[in-house]
Amino acid sequence: MATDPSKYKFNHSMLRAKDPQRSVAFYQLLGLSLVNKMSMPEAKFDLYFLAYDSPTAASSGAHWTDRQGVIELTHNYGTESDPNYTVNNGNAEPFKGFGHVCISVDNIQAACKRLEDEGCKFQKKLTDGRMRNIAFVLDPDGYWVEVIGQTHFEETEKESTTATTAYRMNHTMIRVKDVEKSLDFYKRVMGMKLYRTSENPGASFNLYFLGYGPDAPEPTSSKPNPVADREGLLELTWNYGTENDPEFKYHNGNDQPQGFGHICVSVDDLDAACQRFEQLNVAWKKRLTDGKMKDVAFVLDPDGYWIEVIQNERIMKRTGW
């Protein structure tokens, strides 16, 4: 029995949603499609899986476990009618941890104008602050959705159209305390490649983009970010000095107050992958043999974020999901 990490996929990122109808409609406005829904009435929750699925999408028509860049919305029954229920979006002290999900678009100016015209709220518009090539739109629960361009923003400013069929669910950002430990974990244990590093010493933070798939091409003047048109990247944000503070800790999204739940990797052989993780002495939240659900496992990363591990059903049938 063997497993090949080069066949793994960064399948999805899970966010808890107060009102699934509002949240699904929002992500559909961003161009994503509902590619799967799981109802668990006995446990009083539903799962909604959204991904880009047009004929030109990166994973058009693929089984939901055989994709990258999926967003899973988890709805616990009754939250939609509870006036006191709110989610932790991961960006407010003292509960920072998860930062955002990010879509990349064909024309960032036109895409942002379209969202403004639709009445979407923004954490940061293109015209706010010094960085004029990124925006952050807010979903119905206040999660941040970064919007970036797939080409240099100056090349699209004279165009007025945007096509959601060209969009990609590019990355998910989490903050990490000790970047050397986190990079080692995601590369050595999870089998990811480091595609891009953005160092910002003036602001005392660095960004690291990892994922699965072919090597990244060299950046060009028109595509300074050569992985902007990819799906399923993980962005690690490291703020200088956190690794030296023994009391410092990020919020994992599953302790109260809850919001972000986990990232998920789909693998070629679930049993073999979990055996490999066991041999690498990972910290487990849930082994395959724990509890009633024998088809999912959860590994803990160095900051205590949960990583779900599931079977890629295209490679090997296991659950019939």
Side-chain angles (χ1 to χ4, degrees), residues 8 36 51 57 84 86 160 170 183 185 189 191 194 203 205 214 217 219 223 225-226 235 237 248 259 262 313:
Y8 294 3
N36 189 46
N84 297 316
T86 59
S160 60
N170 182 249
L183 285 174
F185 173 83
V189 178
L194 178 61
F205 73 89
K223 287 194 173 185
N225 178 356
E235 176 188 349
T237 293
F248 187 87
H262 60 259
E313 294 282 323

Side-chain angles (χ1 to χ4, degrees), residues 60-79:
S60 177
H63 190 275
W64 72 271
T65 61
D66 190 37
R67 296 173 181 263
Q68 303 202 94
V70 178
I71 292 178
E72 175 191 346
L73 301 178
T74 294
H75 171 235
N76 294 293
Y77 295 179
T79 56

